[in-house]
Amino acid sequence: MKTIGLIGGMSWESTAVYYRLLNEQVRERLGGLHSAKCIVYSVDFAQIERLQTAGRWDEAGDVLADAARSLQAAGADLLLICTNTMHKVADQVAAAVGIPLLHLADASAAVVRTAGLRRVGLLGTAFTMEQDFYRDRLAGHGLTVLVPDVDDRAVVHKVIYEELCLGIVREESRAAYAEVISRLVASGAQGIILGCTEIELLIGPEHSPVPVFATTRLHAEAAVTAALAPGQ
C-alpha cells in the first residue's frame, strides 16, 4: 500500500472526513484490520483565508507547496489537496514535488462522466464558482458547468465560511441550499457537484432531485485506488 499525503486543515472539519473516508475505503477493500497509510499536514486555515481574501494566491500556494515538500520528505507516495478552492494553486503545488498530485476535479469529473451526465451545477466557495480554475478543469472533461446566480452564490459562500467551516450545521441553511439546487436543476443541471469539501456536512442525496457528487468521497476513493494499485 502506498502512503497518501494529505494537505489539510482547510478546514479541519473536512480533513477529518477525508481521514475517516480513506480508512473506511481501505477496510472495505482489504478487510480485517487494514487501514490507510497516510500522513496529514494540517495548515492554519486563518492564514490561508486571509491570503484568499486578499487575492494573494501565490503566497497561499507557497504555504501549500511547503506542506507538499514536507509530506514527500516524510514518505508520502502521492498527494491530495483536501479542499476544492485551493486547487487554484494545484499546479504550483505539483511543481514543488516529484510525486503525483491527484486533482480533485479530475476525480469528480470522471465519476460524473461514468454516470452519463454532461450538464452539472457547481456549488462551492465564491472563488470556486466564479473563477475559471475549477470550472475549466471540469469543462476539460467534456462537462457543461452551471453556477448559481449572484445572490445564490453569496448565500452558498457565506454558509461555508461562517457555518460549515466552524462545524455549524443549520437546517435553515440546508433548506436554502436545497432551493439553490432546485434553481440549478430548473436551469438544466442533470447533477450537482458539491465543489466544497464542507458542503457534504450539510447536503446529501436526499436533498436534491438529481444526483449529487460528493467531491470529498470521490477524491478519497480515487486516492485509495491509486494507493492500492500494483507497481510504482
Side-chain angles (χ1 to χ4, degrees):
M1 189 192 310
K2 300 179 184 70
T3 300
I4 302 168
L6 306 174
I7 303 176
M10 301 167 284
S11 66
W12 70 261
E13 296 282 349
S14 62
T15 303
V17 176
Y18 264 96
Y19 184 73
R20 175 176 57 80
L21 290 172
L22 290 170
N23 284 290
E24 288 177 349
Q25 279 290 310
V26 170
R27 182 177 60 193
E28 180 179 315
R29 299 189 200 192
L30 300 183
L33 296 176
H34 284 289
S35 55
K37 292 176 62 178
C38 58
I39 308 167
V40 181
Y41 189 115
S42 190
V43 303
D44 179 3
F45 191 31
Q47 176 191 15
I48 299 298
E49 189 275 337
R50 285 194 297 270
L51 294 173
Q52 290 175 339
T53 302
R56 293 157 60 184
W57 294 99
D58 286 346
E59 293 176 54
D62 288 340
V63 175
L64 269 58
D66 285 343
R69 283 187 285 264
S70 294
L71 288 166
Q72 179 175 252
D77 299 301
L78 60 136
L79 289 177
L80 305 183
I81 300 174
C82 300
T83 158
N84 285 271
T85 298
M86 291 310 294
H87 276 72
K88 182 175 175 68
V89 299
D91 290 345
Q92 185 177 346
V93 174
V97 292
I99 55 178
L101 171 69
L102 275 62
H103 199 290
L104 201 159
D106 293 344
S108 300
V111 176
V112 174
R113 290 292 303 267
T114 298
L117 307 184
R118 294 295 183 270
R119 192 175 177 87
V120 292
L122 173 63
L123 301 181
T125 66
F127 310 111
T128 300
M129 293 185 289
E130 295 173 1
Q131 299 182 21
D132 59 11
F133 69 92
Y134 199 88
R135 291 185 285 108
D136 284 359
R137 189 86 178 201
L138 294 172
H141 290 272
L143 300 178
T144 299
V145 182
L146 307 177
V147 297
D149 65 25
V150 62
D151 290 337
D152 282 350
R153 292 198 303 269
V155 169
V156 171
H157 181 88
K158 181 178 181 180
V159 169
I160 291 169
Y161 277 89
E162 296 185 9
E163 297 176 20
L164 300 179
C165 286
L166 300 175
I168 300 169
V169 178
R170 300 172 64 244
E171 286 299 325
E172 295 89 343
S173 296
R174 180 174 284 125
Y177 266 52
E179 291 177 4
V180 174
I181 290 171
S182 294
R183 285 189 279 274
L184 286 170
V185 172
S187 297
Q190 300 167 312
I192 303 294
I193 291 179
L194 306 182
C196 173
T197 49
E198 283 83 15
I199 293 178
E200 292 161 57
L201 302 172
L202 186 70
I203 294 296
E206 67 274 19
H207 304 120
S208 171
V210 297
V212 296
F213 296 89
T215 56
T216 303
R217 178 173 292 278
L218 299 179
H219 205 197
E221 290 175 352
V224 170
T225 296
L228 298 180
Q232 298 299 316

